Amino acid sequence: MIVEKFPDRIIEIDQELYLYFGGTAYLGLPTNKDFQDLVVKNILNWGTTYGSSRTANVKLSAYDYGEKFLASHIGSENAVTVSSGMLAGKLVIDLMKKQTDCFFHFNDIHAAIRIENSLPLFENGKLNNRLFDSNSEKITILTDGVPSFETKPVDFSFLEQIPSHKEITILVDESHSFGITGKNGSGIYSSIQFPIKRKVMVSSLGKAFGLTGGVIASDSEFITQIKELEVFTSAAGMNPAFVQTLSDASEIYSKQHKKLLENLNYIDSILSQNRNIKFDKNYPLIYLLSKDLVEKLKIEKIIIASFKYTKDAEPLNRIVVTANHLKEDLDKLVDILNSCNY
């Protein structure tokens, strides 16, 4: 289906109006008037784009403001922005190839942080035996902040089981947790408190934060290494007007995050238990395990997110709740879900 206007809480299809519970605008920012005004103000100051390398002799203060905000919000020592979340992941993977003897991954991680020859972290419900051999080596563990089809962040307590002669780096893609989970939407990075060598966070900013771009967060030494990569130095940076907006919009992020949590708590208070629904009040994705539910919602003029991540995969059906949904939207949605409780 093709639409002619950004689908916020209402979407128009063939001249008919539907409630929309799809997309990834979790904080409802693309249509937020105050947020739009900040973006416009910063475009008037910084232009529509800046095609120069970040290492050029002329530096823009917008990057300093935005990246300091991100590091503070995430709880990292340093952070750097790039033009997309996908590029953020690929830059980190390129660097980690030179610093890693063996990669391990959770199942179904995003393509941004996949690498060939990585080993599954768990086999038959247990940590990979390869982690317990006698080799002293550097390993990197790849994971999404909240795995696909899940509604809770990754539990990192398994790190305590890995022997100390394995030097561990964690790379977590927080594209669907940054701006949502953690205190004030800080994500899960700061909560990873285990004896590991390094933790690195990458994330798209085009989802909860409403701006095209990506971020890499870690310790200052690692961020310096990222900035020295040829792919980074030869690429244009994230739109400086957008980076400046990151800093300027901090109060709006906080306000919208609060509204999102209120919506999720309200759903939790009225939604009946249903084995065909996976929901957690701290996360804005509701997974539907029944195709009948998807069709029922469409008949009742509700459109949700339904797509295939890969060509041969089963469709991923999920309801996306945003800060912009109204109580009456949630009432209609939950009434339908509760009526199909079987």
Side-chain angles (χ1 to χ4, degrees):
M1 60 188 76
I2 298 175
V3 298
E4 302 294 335
K5 184 179 180 181
F6 184 88
D8 188 27
R9 49 174 288 275
I10 300 292
I11 187 172
E12 183 175 336
I13 302 171
D14 296 330
Q15 298 181 322
E16 287 194 76
L17 298 181
Y18 293 74
L19 280 179
Y20 185 56
F21 286 88
T24 58
Y26 304 118
L27 298 183
L29 293 169
T31 59
N32 182 284
K33 180 63 166 56
D34 292 338
F35 188 73
Q36 289 178 339
D37 288 345
L38 282 180
V39 173
V40 171
K41 182 192 78 170
N42 284 321
I43 286 175
L44 293 175
N45 186 60
W46 292 111
T48 57
T49 188
Y50 188 68
S52 179
S53 168
R54 290 286 303 274
T55 59
N57 58 319
V58 175
K59 314 289 186 188
L60 306 188
S61 63
Y63 293 106
D64 289 334
Y65 290 119
E67 289 166 356
K68 285 178 181 177
F69 162 76
L70 286 170
S72 175
H73 194 58
I74 294 165
S76 63
E77 198 171 275
N78 210 337
V80 64
T81 53
V82 291
S83 58
S84 72
M86 181 65 77
L87 179 59
K90 294 305 182 185
L91 281 170
V92 173
I93 289 292
D94 283 349
L95 180 55
M96 292 311 305
K97 285 179 185 176
K98 305 170 187 176
Q99 303 177 359
T100 301
D101 298 314
C102 188
F103 287 88
F104 294 85
H105 63 271
F106 275 79
N107 291 337
D108 299 320
I109 57 173
H110 194 275
I113 58 170
R114 282 188 210 140
I115 185 171
E116 290 183 5
N117 302 319
S118 177
L119 302 176
L121 182 64
F122 288 93
E123 292 185 317
N124 300 317
K126 296 182 179 180
L127 283 172
N128 194 315
N129 285 332
R130 174 75 167 68
L131 291 163
F132 299 96
D133 65 25
S134 59
N135 294 331
S136 296
E137 60 185 347
K138 299 174 181 178
I139 67 170
T140 296
I141 296 173
L142 312 171
T143 181
D144 293 336
V146 179
S148 295
F149 301 103
E150 298 296 331
T151 56
K152 293 181 183 294
V154 167
D155 179 1
F156 287 99
S157 61
F158 69 85
L159 291 170
E160 297 172 335
Q161 302 176 46
I162 301 175
S164 59
H165 60 270
K166 303 294 184 181
E167 186 178 276
I168 304 170
T169 294
I170 293 287
L171 170 55
V172 54
D173 185 334
E174 292 218 53
S175 296
H176 293 280
S177 53
F178 185 39
I180 302 166
T181 62
K183 185 178 180 180
N184 297 320
S186 61
I188 69 171
Y189 177 92
S190 62
S191 70
I192 305 173
Q193 300 291 338
F194 293 92
I196 57 177
K197 180 196 174 184
R198 169 171 283 150
K199 54 184 179 178
V200 184
M201 176 263 225
V202 297
S203 179
S204 167
L205 295 168
K207 302 185 187 320
F209 283 80
L211 298 163
T212 303
V215 59
I216 303 168
S218 189
D219 55 87
S220 292
E221 178 186 3
F222 188 82
I223 297 302
T224 296
Q225 293 172 1
I226 288 289
K227 291 179 178 180
E228 291 171 348
L229 291 175
E230 183 179 358
V231 172
F232 179 86
T233 61
S234 60
M238 183 177 168
N239 185 324
F242 291 175
V243 182
Q244 180 74 56
T245 301
L246 287 167
S247 174
D248 295 347
S250 59
E251 291 184 8
I252 298 175
Y253 291 136
S254 179
K255 177 181 177 182
Q256 293 298 106
H257 182 253
K258 182 179 178 183
K259 287 173 64 177
L260 175 61
L261 293 185
E262 288 172 351
N263 279 347
L264 295 176
N265 279 311
Y266 181 67
I267 290 174
D268 186 61
S269 72
I270 61 174
L271 180 65
S272 301
Q273 289 290 319
N274 189 326
R275 62 185 177 86
N276 288 305
I277 295 172
K278 185 181 286 189
F279 169 68
D280 184 274
K281 67 178 181 179
N282 297 306
Y283 198 60
L285 301 183
I286 305 174
Y287 288 100
L288 302 184
L289 309 181
S290 165
K291 293 179 183 178
D292 292 341
L293 271 175
V294 180
E295 290 304 313
K296 174 66 173 175
L297 289 168
K298 189 172 182 180
I299 290 170
E300 298 292 341
K301 292 191 176 299
I302 294 179
I303 300 295
I304 68 168
S306 183
F307 60 93
K308 294 182 178 182
Y309 256 123
T310 58
K311 187 174 95 172
D312 300 321
E314 285 293 313
L316 179 65
N317 299 312
R318 65 190 186 195
I319 294 166
V320 181
V321 181
T322 78
N324 287 351
H325 282 117
L326 304 179
K327 183 175 179 290
E328 53 260 39
D329 304 336
L330 306 179
D331 284 335
K332 180 174 181 179
L333 172 71
V334 174
D335 282 348
I336 296 167
L337 296 180
N338 285 344
S339 71
C340 297
N341 192 350
Y342 49 81

